[in-house]
Amino acid sequence: MRVLVVDDDKLICASVKLILESNKDIEVVGTANSGQQAIELYKKFKPDILLMDIRMDKMSGLEAGENILKVYKDAKILYLTTFADDEYIIKAFKIGAHGYILKQDFECIIPSLRAVYIGQYVFGQDIVSKIPALINSEEKKNLSKLGINDKESDIISLVAEGLNNKEISEKLFLSEGTVRNYISGILEKLDLRDRTQLAVFYFKNK
Amino acid sequence: MRVLVVDDDKLICASVKLILESNKDIEVVGTANSGQQAIELYKKFKPDILLMDIRMDKMSGLEAGENILKVYKDAKILYLTTFADDEYIIKAFKIGAHGYILKQDFECIIPSLRAVYIGQYVFGQDIVSKIPALINSEEKKNLSKLGINDKESDIISLVAEGLNNKEISEKLFLSEGTVRNYISGILEKLDLRDRTQLAVFYFKNK
DNA sequence: AGCAATATATTACATTTGTCATGCAAAGTG
DNA sequence: CACTTTGCATGACAAATGTAATATATTGCT
């Protein structure tokens, strides 16, 4: 397994290199101290895995990774960094990194590398625990299940377009009072307080 | 490493058991064929890792996992399943599973197990590639162009959470009247009529 | 210092909204 | 048939909302 190590802190580069090379099936083909250099060395060595820090002086590891992955679509990049910043995590997923682990879990580096080597994607606890909050989990509540019928559904849609009761009543050929009654019932069923919350509900569940 | 294997297909259970036990540091402490049984055996054996299918007859693996994780918060569950269904993936992340890999990548089972054993989280290609689409990448629309300032922005967000004027005033330490004034101004600037339309606007422009 | 702009508040008022009790006719159901 | 249910309507009412005019204190500019 041939690995390229990138970190703007040379001490870390050296330490990681030591750790990796204590395994005889792992070879550190080079170390780079900047995103720019990472790209150059990647082209030169075509390592199996690029083990890279994110925060670096000039070009961030994410930027460098993005560049490399554009050209070498099967490049495997494992980010080894200090922070589990939301933006970083999202970006890492977006560019298609093979993993994101934290430096403090340094004993995880080797097993993670091996998993990545065979094509899996590896993430540390602090990373994964943040994902749910980043996901549109929007468990689409099944309206029919909540006892919302067709007419009520129609009204919900219209409320969610920003129509007032009068406009809704005209669209549906109902009296305004009836529309109010319907909405009142819908709010009760969905345990909401007013039409604005209903509109919010609509967008979050649709 | 003590592993509990769960799959409603007994043949798969047996195969996986064989594969695992070809490694002498891995012990299969039991096999279960349903979510219910998985919970029972988990309690009984407290395995290091629960390697489980998702789709099963009675209780899904996700449900079983949720139950187990409620009680044993440091349980490590690695899902081994056939499909990379969005709902499954989201749910797996939510309950805090330690991994989600596909059966077709069966050669990844062992290395994945090892990574999970030391606390990492492992996912297969097909899983990870779906995550970006599931993430709220919140490209913040530039309201400042429309003459909306920071405070107004705050208020808009709160309206779009369904808060009423009183609640907003309490959150922002303003009087209710002031909040009304702000909203009145916002509505004018955005050419909207009421707070519901404002909430709609918010969701459509975010 | 003088003056305009800004942020906040207050008040009054009209309108919209949500709730509730009730009415009533058509459609089902025993 | 008598009955319940369903769908729609009405009126009364309180609360929330939106508008407008005005006030005040602070800030910033000249």
Side-chain angles (χ1 to χ4, degrees):
Chain A
M1 188 190 327
R2 300 168 55 256
V3 181
L4 174 60
V5 176
V6 184
D7 198 307
D8 63 345
D9 182 336
K10 293 187 182 181
L11 178 59
I12 291 190
C13 265
S15 322
V16 171
K17 183 174 153 89
L18 267 180
I19 295 175
L20 298 197
E21 295 198 326
S22 67
N23 298 67
K24 53 176 172 266
D25 60 329
I26 299 181
E27 176 195 356
V28 175
V29 297
T31 60
N33 307 112
S34 72
Q36 193 56 51
Q37 206 186 347
I39 296 175
E40 286 165 24
L41 293 187
Y42 191 93
K43 282 185 190 166
K44 186 166 167 191
F45 294 121
K46 309 274 171 56
D48 295 312
I49 301 178
L50 175 52
L51 182 63
M52 178 156 58
D53 190 13
I54 287 185
R55 290 176 77 159
M56 289 187 293
D57 286 342
K58 289 177 194 171
M59 185 189 290
S60 85
L62 291 166
E63 229 176 305
E66 197 169 15
N67 273 312
I68 290 169
L69 282 161
K70 254 184 214 153
V71 185
Y72 306 98
K73 311 220 171 197
D74 53 354
K76 292 181 176 127
I77 300 180
L78 178 55
Y79 285 109
L80 178 66
T81 186
T82 314
F83 304 101
D85 181 86
D86 287 2
E87 297 294 317
Y88 290 172
I89 296 172
I90 292 173
K91 189 79 191 286
F93 275 116
K94 273 199 176 162
I95 70 177
H98 260 254
Y100 189 126
I101 62 182
L102 295 179
K103 285 182 181 170
Q104 42 268 47
D105 304 336
F106 67 91
E107 74 281 3
C108 291
I109 297 177
I110 300 293
S112 300
L113 271 176
R114 294 196 199 286
V116 168
Y117 184 61
I118 59 168
Q120 293 298 84
Y121 290 66
V122 182
F123 301 89
Q125 152 73 44
D126 299 287
I127 315 303
V128 169
S129 64
K130 288 195 166 196
I131 292 179
L134 300 174
I135 288 185
N136 289 320
S137 72
E138 320 290 312
E139 329 172 346
K140 292 171 195 167
K141 284 185 190 160
N142 197 347
L143 290 182
S144 58
K145 218 167 191 177
L146 292 164
I148 299 294
N149 61 35
D150 288 354
K151 180 135 283 182
E152 287 172 328
S153 256
D154 290 347
I155 290 181
I156 293 174
S157 305
L158 296 175
V159 167
E161 283 175 29
L163 303 202
N164 64 22
N165 293 330
K166 183 132 192 299
E167 289 163 339
I168 295 174
S169 76
E170 281 161 6
K171 275 223 171 190
L172 300 183
F173 305 104
L174 297 172
S175 81
E176 190 189 328
T178 301
V179 173
R180 293 224 288 259
N181 290 336
Y182 271 114
I183 290 181
S184 196
I186 292 168
L187 295 179
E188 165 109 17
K189 281 181 189 171
L190 300 181
D191 194 26
L192 301 172
R193 186 212 295 147
D194 55 45
R195 69 202 295 105
T196 305
Q197 292 193 340
L198 179 56
V200 172
F201 172 91
Y202 176 87
F203 283 104
K204 291 205 166 157
N205 294 278
K206 179 71 176 89
Chain B
M1 189 188 329
R2 301 167 57 257
V3 181
L4 174 60
V5 176
V6 184
D7 197 308
D8 63 345
D9 182 336
K10 292 187 183 181
L11 177 60
I12 290 191
C13 266
S15 322
V16 171
K17 184 175 153 87
L18 268 181
I19 295 176
L20 297 197
E21 295 198 325
S22 68
N23 297 67
K24 54 176 172 265
D25 61 329
I26 299 181
E27 177 195 355
V28 175
V29 297
T31 61
N33 306 112
S34 73
Q36 193 56 52
Q37 207 187 347
I39 295 175
E40 285 165 25
L41 293 187
Y42 191 92
K43 281 184 191 167
K44 187 165 165 192
F45 294 122
K46 309 275 171 57
D48 294 312
I49 301 179
L50 176 52
L51 183 63
M52 179 156 58
D53 191 13
I54 288 186
R55 292 176 74 160
M56 289 187 293
D57 285 343
K58 288 177 192 168
M59 184 188 290
S60 85
L62 291 167
E63 229 177 305
E66 198 170 12
N67 274 310
I68 290 169
L69 281 162
K70 255 183 213 150
V71 185
Y72 306 97
K73 311 219 170 194
D74 54 353
K76 293 185 175 119
I77 301 180
L78 178 56
Y79 285 109
L80 179 67
T81 187
T82 313
F83 303 102
D85 182 87
D86 287 1
E87 299 292 318
Y88 290 171
I89 296 173
I90 291 173
K91 190 78 191 286
F93 275 116
K94 268 201 174 164
I95 70 176
H98 261 255
Y100 190 126
I101 61 183
L102 296 178
K103 285 181 182 169
Q104 42 269 48
D105 303 336
F106 67 92
E107 74 281 2
C108 291
I109 297 177
I110 300 294
S112 299
L113 270 176
R114 294 197 199 285
V116 168
Y117 184 61
I118 58 168
Q120 293 298 85
Y121 290 67
V122 182
F123 301 89
Q125 153 73 44
D126 299 288
I127 314 303
V128 169
S129 64
K130 287 195 168 197
I131 291 179
L134 300 173
I135 288 185
N136 287 320
S137 58
E138 298 284 326
E139 297 174 17
K140 292 165 194 167
K141 188 129 193 180
N142 209 353
L143 290 174
S144 57
K145 279 180 201 157
L146 295 161
I148 298 295
N149 61 36
D150 289 355
K151 180 133 278 175
E152 288 172 330
S153 236
D154 291 347
I155 290 180
I156 293 174
S157 304
L158 296 175
V159 167
E161 282 174 31
L163 304 202
N164 63 23
N165 293 329
K166 182 132 190 300
E167 290 163 337
I168 294 174
S169 75
E170 282 160 5
K171 273 223 172 188
L172 300 183
F173 304 104
L174 297 173
S175 81
E176 191 189 331
T178 301
V179 172
R180 291 222 290 260
N181 290 338
Y182 270 114
I183 290 181
S184 196
I186 292 168
L187 295 178
E188 166 118 24
K189 281 182 188 172
L190 301 180
D191 195 25
L192 302 171
R193 187 210 295 145
D194 56 43
R195 69 201 298 102
T196 306
Q197 292 193 341
L198 179 55
V200 172
F201 173 90
Y202 176 87
F203 283 103
K204 291 203 168 156
N205 291 278
K206 119 187 146 108

